[in-house]
């Protein structure tokens, strides 16, 4: 229940008695590290939720992306095409392998990678595309997969913000070579820190299993023939994750409801646009997005006024190429990424919001923008 002087956060975890029960059971079992029944239960249930043969739990979304790329053999001298507008983890995971992240523009409707921009960036060194399903909206996977097929490229879906989102009736994470999810505290479900790789590719799955655990030989304990990593998730985290996964349909339905409350309240405003909605995709609205198309009020101003009314908000990501460290990886002018980045913000999107909270937030927004 919203109270006048409570700050409404952009996001917060949704933890119930079920999560507490599972976590206590994991702790009491003595299996506190990365062996234990909750790991396999979480992986199996996640694979069947996404609709892939395999799911592999990892320590976070960033290590998941790195592990996926390393397992596919991405290395120094390779190029990986990614959208300029994303969280920095997408680019960093590519850099960890020694490969080059090629930053291309987004589509102005989905705010996800633009297939036309991918085509322009392909060279003989290109090995992989990482579409990011940004803020819960799926990228155009048909066009991306067609390009990948034509040029023999891997597709690693960055699903960190889109658990349960669908493209033409199939869940993201089941459409490319593999999918990578994050369970950070503000994601659709959380394990505190954590991640998951989903795939139907047995070879990729087996290599990733090996590299996740220091590439320790299956036949000979403490024998290593490659440089692997410790990217394991703990049984305690998996217990939290399993409880969250058993509730995920409700959490996603709540996200969709929250979006509809915002939409009903704000759709008459002329100078804004909300999250993309398309017939071919199920958006899970990880973050409610408000994009100022043509407003006399600046984003900064709007955010400050929201704050003085106890409403939290966040700007969209910076384009990766705007940061000096990554400027060299920019490909094209990426105008749409810069536009979206300047004019977009995230509104409170927590699954704990009530309709009354959203009505209050929208009433304030209308007052500011009208
Ligand atoms: C959160 C996020 C990640 C990284 O996940 P962590 O679990 O925080 O490492 C990667 N990509 C995108 C798009 C994200 O939003």
């Amino acid at each position: 229940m919203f109270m006048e002087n409570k700050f409404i956060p952009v996001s917060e975890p949704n933890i119930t008695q079920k999560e507490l029960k599972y976590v206590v059971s994991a702790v009491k079992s003595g299996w506190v590290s990365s062996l234990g029944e909750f790991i396999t239960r979480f992986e199996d249930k996640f694979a069947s939720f996404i609709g892939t043969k395999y799911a592999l739990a990892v320590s976070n979304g960033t290590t998941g992306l790195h592990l996926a790329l390393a397992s596919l053999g991405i290395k120094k001298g390779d190029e990986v095409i990614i959208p300029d507008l994303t969280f920095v983890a997408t680019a960093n995971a590519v850099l960890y392998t020694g490969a080059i992240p090629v930053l291309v523009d987004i589509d102005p409707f989905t705010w996800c990678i633009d297939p036309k921009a991918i085509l322009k960036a392909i060279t003989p060194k290109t090995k992989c595309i990482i579409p990011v399903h940004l803020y819960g909206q799926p990228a155009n996977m048909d066009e991306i997969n067609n390009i990948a097929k034509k040029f023999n490229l891997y597709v690693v879906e960055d699903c960190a913000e889109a658990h349960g989102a669908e493209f033409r009736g199939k869940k993201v994470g089941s459409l490319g070579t593999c999918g990578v999810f994050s369970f950070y505290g503000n994601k659709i479900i959380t394990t505190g820190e954590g991640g998951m790789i989903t795939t139907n590719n047995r070879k990729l799955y087996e290599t990733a299993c090996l590299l996740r655990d220091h590439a320790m030989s299956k036949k000979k304990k403490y024998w290593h023939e490659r440089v692997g990593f410790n990217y394991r998730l703990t049984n305690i985290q998996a217990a939290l994750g399993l409880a969250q996964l058993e509730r995920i349909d409700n959490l996603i339905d709540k996200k969709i409801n929250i979006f509809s409350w915002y939409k009903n309240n704000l759709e008459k405003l002329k100078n804004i646009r909300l999250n993309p909605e398309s017939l071919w995709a199920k958006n899970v609205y990880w973050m409610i997005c408000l994009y100022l198309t043509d407003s006399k009020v600046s984003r900064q101003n709007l955010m400050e006024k929201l704050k003085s009314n106890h409403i939290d908000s966040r700007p969209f990501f910076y384009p990766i190429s705007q940061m000096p460290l990554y400027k060299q990886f920019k490909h094209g002018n990426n105008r749409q990424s810069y536009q979206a980045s300047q004019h977009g913000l995230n509104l409170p999107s927590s699954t704990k919001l009530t309709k009354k909270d959203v009505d209050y937030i929208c009433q304030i927004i209308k007052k500011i923008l009208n």
Side-chain angles (χ1 to χ4, degrees):
M1 229 345 240
F2 166 73
M3 285 162 289
E4 276 303 321
N5 46 14
K6 190 188 89 177
F7 200 67
I8 307 179
V10 163
S11 120
E12 66 197 310
N14 189 322
I15 308 290
T16 63
Q17 286 301 320
K18 182 195 270 283
E19 281 81 353
L20 298 183
K21 197 176 121 203
Y22 286 19
V23 169
V24 167
S25 149
V27 173
K28 280 188 174 165
S29 76
W31 297 100
V32 292
S33 290
S34 52
L35 292 174
E37 61 155 337
F38 283 108
I39 301 273
T40 38
R41 283 175 67 192
F42 185 37
E43 287 177 334
D44 291 349
K45 195 169 171 67
F46 203 83
S48 76
F49 173 68
I50 297 301
T52 53
K53 276 194 199 138
Y54 310 104
L56 182 88
V58 289
S59 51
N60 59 63
T62 310
T63 56
L65 286 167
H66 179 217
L67 184 60
L69 295 170
S71 303
L72 290 169
I74 304 297
K75 57 182 190 313
K76 195 170 180 227
D78 294 341
E79 292 176 358
V80 178
I81 299 174
I82 70 172
D84 204 344
L85 193 73
T86 177
F87 181 57
V88 74
T90 320
N92 283 349
V94 176
L95 289 168
Y96 300 160
T97 67
I100 290 176
V102 178
L103 304 166
V104 305
D105 211 358
I106 54 160
D107 172 279
F109 174 70
T110 61
W111 298 318
C112 296
I113 197 165
D114 180 358
K116 292 191 294 295
I118 297 175
L119 272 176
K120 284 188 206 149
I122 289 175
T123 74
K125 292 181 179 165
T126 308
K127 291 285 153 58
C128 181
I129 307 165
I130 310 183
V132 179
H133 306 301
L134 202 72
Y135 301 129
Q137 160 72 26
N140 189 332
M141 289 305 294
D142 276 351
E143 291 192 31
I144 293 164
N145 280 335
N146 283 340
I147 295 169
K149 208 168 170 189
K150 188 164 164 202
F151 293 93
N152 199 23
L153 309 173
Y154 296 121
V155 177
V156 174
E157 295 176 75
D158 184 335
C159 308
E161 306 181 353
H163 316 54
E166 292 174 13
F167 180 81
R168 297 200 195 284
K170 284 177 84 179
K171 289 216 167 63
V172 302
S174 71
L175 299 150
T177 315
C178 65
V180 180
F181 293 81
S182 164
F183 306 125
Y184 184 70
N186 68 2
K187 300 294 161 82
I188 288 175
I189 60 171
T190 187
T191 60
E193 295 277 357
M196 192 77 81
I197 299 176
T198 52
T199 186
N200 289 315
N201 182 321
R202 181 164 173 186
K203 187 159 166 266
L204 167 59
Y205 172 73
E206 284 174 354
T207 308
C209 280
L210 193 73
L211 292 180
R212 177 177 65 174
D213 189 19
H214 284 298
M216 175 141 50
S217 165
K218 287 253 155 33
K219 295 181 201 112
K220 212 164 148 183
K221 192 129 182 107
Y222 305 124
W223 187 259
H224 308 265
E225 287 170 0
R226 293 185 62 171
V227 179
F229 318 103
N230 174 359
Y231 284 170
R232 300 179 305 250
L233 190 76
T234 68
N235 196 45
I236 301 174
Q237 291 168 309
L240 181 51
L242 180 66
Q244 289 264 283
L245 187 55
E246 288 177 359
R247 299 175 50 231
I248 196 167
D249 290 332
N250 282 333
L251 293 171
I252 290 169
D253 285 349
K254 183 69 193 275
K255 288 278 192 195
I256 293 170
N257 268 331
I258 291 168
F259 175 74
S260 75
W261 296 336
Y262 274 105
K263 189 182 159 183
N264 289 340
N265 268 297
L266 297 177
E267 68 186 344
K268 290 213 179 77
L269 281 181
K270 286 202 174 61
N271 40 13
I272 64 147
R273 158 193 161 192
L274 299 173
N275 303 58
E277 292 175 275
S278 47
L279 290 173
W280 43 266
K282 175 178 173 180
N283 191 330
V284 288
Y285 307 104
W286 171 56
M287 283 282 164
I288 299 299
C289 299
L290 187 149
Y291 180 92
L292 296 164
T293 47
D294 167 34
S295 166
K296 281 167 231 107
V297 183
S298 74
R299 179 178 69 181
Q300 185 60 28
N301 207 275
L302 172 58
M303 290 179 67
E304 277 163 16
K305 286 190 170 143
L306 287 171
K307 194 169 176 189
S308 65
N309 284 284
H310 311 284
I311 300 164
D312 197 13
S313 65
R314 298 249 167 92
F316 271 21
F317 297 120
Y318 286 104
I320 305 273
S321 70
Q322 196 173 342
M323 294 175 263
L325 184 58
Y326 301 90
K327 199 172 168 222
Q328 58 183 307
F329 305 122
K330 187 176 180 185
H331 188 278
N333 65 24
N334 298 357
R335 187 183 304 133
Q336 300 297 345
S337 305
Y338 281 73
Q339 283 259 326
S341 169
Q342 266 177 40
H343 300 297
L345 68 146
N346 299 127
L347 295 171
S349 310
S350 160
T351 48
K352 290 187 164 176
L353 287 170
T354 63
K355 181 160 184 303
K356 227 171 142 190
D357 295 332
V358 174
D359 288 345
Y360 165 76
I361 296 164
C362 293
Q363 179 205 324
I364 300 290
I365 291 174
K366 283 191 268 193
K367 227 193 270 173
I368 301 168
L369 292 183
N370 262 329

